[in-house]
Amino acid sequence: MPEASRQLVAQINLSALRQNLKRVRDYVSAAQIFAVVKADAYGHGLKRILPALDEVDGLALMELPAAIELREANYTRRILLLEGFFRVGELKEFSQYRIATVVHNHEQLQMLEKTKLEKPLEVFLSVNTGMNRLGIKPHETKAFCERLSALPAVAALRLMTHLARAETKEGSAEALARFESACAGLSYPRSIANSAGVLRFRTVGGDIVRPGLMIYGASPIIDRPARLFGLQPVMSLRSELIAVQDVPEGEYVGYGEVYRTTRPTRIGVVACGYADGYPITARPGTPVQVAGKRATIAGRVSMDMLTVDITDIPEAHPGSPVLLWGDGLPVDDVARWSGLIPYQLLCAIAPRVKFVTTEIGRVHFDL
Ligand SMILES: *Cc1c(COP(=O)(O)O)cnc(C)c1O
């Protein structure tokens, strides 16, 4: 392939990912860690980050084809599908590829009861403790356990719940109490914590944790910067200035009448727009780093470009490096200015963006 001439890259730092997984380990001491890698590892590229996941006990995701690809790439540790299976026919693949499943409703239980599998499955029984999305009712837990544990298709059973408000004591107390009473007397291993739950592991607890966002170095808690938890950004979205405009006072910049200069302003034009995954909702004032200094969005983000006020960065010129988010500019900040959450920005990187992978002491070649 010819070299991309547009200098927009998503740089993936595997050393940061390893560091973040160490932080998870610090929080959860001996609990097993299932790294959540749904949505192509939150937009980072599952295959790309796989080498940095060799210390975790397993991977959790939504997509069966991606799980099968992991096996075909010789991933040998455990794999959990968080929505489980949808049709009885899929169970053969779960068995063949040794994929653990969530069971969250009656229909799945009945399918398991009707099926014969070559190799039985590890099953995570999901209990609805207040998210009201997936999961059986707490009072059904015992009966489900009895039926599941009696099945030849079930090799091992775990109890699981997903917290809707894991980030605070007040938000999670009720759900934790419901889970506790649903599981009373049942000795199966438990899985409760997502990233926010990991950060509050002493309260949330469990035998198996399921961190997602935090392993990518973003904060699952609004207004608590990721660096507070010792997390480092894995993805840095980088580009460069492709033009500079000297704009007089009182002129509009970009489409519409979103932004008008209030002083003679130097506007830097960045090769990155909403067709690359940058949020169109980024308001004027959203931070962008230009030549290592903080600048701000000026004018509406367009399809291929965005404009920044670089009046106070006189050394900036076409070719100057630009950081949209990542190492030195938390994705959480860009999300907040855009009225979004960091999950959404990371997952939205468009196919036309080139990726490069870096890791201290190792060489990676990106396709
Ligand atoms: C996505 C997901 C997680 C990970 O959540 P984060 O907030 O990214 O840590 C954990 N458990 C389940 C069931 C999920 O769907």
Side-chain angles (χ1 to χ4, degrees), residues 36 38 42 62 82 133 160 162 194-195 210-213 343:
V36 179
K38 59 195 180 192
Y42 289 47
M62 302 289 173
L82 291 166
R133 210 174 54 177
M160 166 180 163
H162 191 43
N194 57 2
S195 295
R210 311 183 307 271
L213 190 67
Y343 298 77

Side-chain angles (χ1 to χ4, degrees), residues 76-95:
T76 56
R77 298 200 179 186
R78 284 145 73 204
I79 299 176
L80 169 64
L81 283 214
L82 291 166
E83 290 171 345
F85 54 95
F86 307 96
R87 276 161 288 277
V88 72
E90 290 169 350
L91 281 168
K92 227 171 39 195
E93 281 169 319
F94 277 71
S95 169

Side-chain angles (χ1 to χ4, degrees), residues 34-62:
F34 273 51
V36 179
V37 293
K38 59 195 180 192
D40 204 21
Y42 289 47
H44 293 65
L46 178 49
K47 286 247 177 85
R48 188 174 293 120
I49 68 162
L50 199 53
L53 296 172
D54 50 6
E55 303 267 312
V56 296
D57 301 278
L59 303 178
L61 67 169
M62 302 289 173

Side-chain angles (χ1 to χ4, degrees), residues 239-246 265-270 288-296 307-323:
S239 188
E240 61 181 31
L241 291 186
I242 58 171
V244 171
Q245 300 282 352
D246 287 303
T265 303
R266 272 186 100 217
I267 291 291
V269 182
V270 181
V288 174
Q289 213 182 73
V290 178
K293 292 191 177 153
R294 189 184 172 97
T296 55
T307 40
V308 289
D309 182 340
I310 52 165
T311 311
D312 299 328
I313 313 175
E315 68 274 28
H317 56 82
S320 289
V322 173
L323 175 68

